[in-house]
């Protein structure tokens, strides 16, 4: 089925509400076999004409994925609180790809103030988006994950992506060959 099995998407929607405070419907969830596949879908939905950006330093495989889809991709420098919002404006970025809860490789957690600044940046122009890559929030020894930016967003400018692979890794080794990944946003 398109987007994934309905029962699985319903279970993911409940999980996202209970553990991340996100209010999403199963229709907003797309399940795919890996992040590269889902990033490709996002590029198709958001547009090849957008200017994308990633954190610097960051997970450079993401830039390779964007470049393989022939989209303009730039790097945004970071400070102790995360990406520098002023650079987004200076470089005319349309879509920023971030990991605010546990930035790779620095481990920075973006403070709430910077999160609201970033949401403000996105809300200034209707065609701006934030891809919130929450790649490892499920991997916790205790307590609930840090609340997602998508839950703070009133303008529907945040696309939340996550994976269950870290949960699977806790119970199974070697890891399974396919991971379940979700994406939440009304963009289609």
């Amino acid at each position: 089925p398109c987007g994934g099995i309905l029962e699985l998407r319903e279970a993911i929607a409940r999980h996202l509400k209970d553990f991340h405070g996100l209010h999403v419907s199963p229709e907003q969830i797309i399940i795919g076999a890996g992040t590269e596949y889902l990033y490709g879908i996002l590029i198709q939905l958001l547009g090849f004409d957008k200017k994308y950006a990633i954190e610097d330093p960051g997970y450079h495989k993401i830039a390779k994925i964007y470049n393989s889809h022939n989209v303009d991709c730039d790097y945004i420098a970071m400070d102790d609180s995360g990406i520098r919002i002023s650079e987004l404006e200076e470089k005319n970025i349309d879509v920023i790809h971030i990991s605010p809860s546990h930035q790779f490789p620095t481990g920075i957690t973006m403070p709430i103030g910077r999160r609201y600044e970033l949401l403000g940046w996105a809300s200034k122009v209707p065609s701006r988006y934030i891809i919130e890559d929450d790649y490892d929030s499920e991997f916790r020894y205790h307590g609930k994950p840090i609340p997602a930016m998508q839950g703070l967003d009133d303008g529907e400018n945040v696309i939340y992506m996550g994976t269950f692979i870290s949960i699977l890794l806790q119970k199974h080794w070697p890891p399974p060959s396919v991971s379940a990944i979700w994406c939440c946003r009304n963009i289609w």
Side-chain angles (χ1 to χ4, degrees), residues 35-137:
T35 54
E36 289 183 35
Y37 168 74
L38 288 173
Y39 292 146
I41 288 175
L42 276 177
I43 292 166
Q44 291 175 43
L45 291 171
L46 296 176
F48 291 90
D49 59 333
K50 301 264 189 256
K51 186 168 183 182
Y52 294 78
I54 63 170
E55 301 159 312
D56 186 22
Y59 186 51
H60 292 287
K61 185 173 183 183
I62 295 167
K64 290 180 183 178
I65 293 168
Y66 287 132
N67 291 331
S68 74
H69 285 85
N70 297 316
V71 296
D72 190 6
C73 184
D74 208 336
Y75 296 91
I76 303 297
M78 296 179 53
D79 58 25
D80 291 341
S81 295
I83 63 163
R84 295 181 180 161
I85 309 298
S86 61
E87 277 196 42
L88 295 171
E89 296 284 357
E90 291 167 12
K91 295 183 176 185
N92 294 315
I93 302 300
D94 299 303
V95 181
I96 181 65
H97 189 125
I98 59 167
S99 300
S101 295
H102 186 229
Q103 199 278 335
F104 177 85
T106 66
I108 291 172
T109 298
M110 186 183 290
I112 192 73
R114 180 66 58 90
R115 291 174 188 230
Y116 277 115
E117 282 182 61
L118 188 54
L119 289 169
W121 165 83
S123 69
K124 287 181 187 174
V125 178
S127 61
R128 286 182 178 166
Y129 296 98
I130 300 165
I131 299 174
E132 180 179 9
D133 191 344
D134 200 8
Y135 68 94
D136 75 344
S137 71

Side-chain angles (χ1 to χ4, degrees), residues 170-187:
Q170 290 177 30
K171 302 202 185 288
H172 305 285
W173 192 261
S177 60
V178 176
S179 61
I181 299 175
W182 60 87
C183 168
C184 307
R185 173 73 166 84
N186 283 325
I187 56 176

Side-chain angles (χ1 to χ4, degrees), residues 15-16 19-20 134-141 145 160 162-167 170 182:
H15 173 79
L16 291 173
F19 291 95
H20 297 275
D134 200 8
Y135 68 94
D136 75 344
S137 71
E138 300 298 325
F139 189 64
R140 301 186 62 80
Y141 291 108
Y160 180 86
T163 179
F164 288 117
I165 191 67
S166 58
I167 292 174
Q170 290 177 30
W182 60 87

Side-chain angles (χ1 to χ4, degrees), residues 3-33 38 138 150 160-165 167-168 179-185:
I5 298 168
L6 178 60
E7 292 83 1
L8 178 58
R9 290 184 287 133
E10 289 171 341
I12 291 171
R14 284 191 303 275
H15 173 79
L16 291 173
K17 181 178 184 249
D18 293 345
F19 291 95
H20 297 275
L22 304 181
H23 297 282
V24 297
S25 68
E27 293 77 23
Q28 291 175 284
I29 297 172
I30 298 173
I31 299 170
L38 288 173
E138 300 298 325
Q150 197 268 354
Y160 180 86
M161 295 187 73
T163 179
F164 288 117
I165 191 67
I167 292 174
L168 297 172
S179 61
I181 299 175
W182 60 87
C183 168
C184 307
R185 173 73 166 84

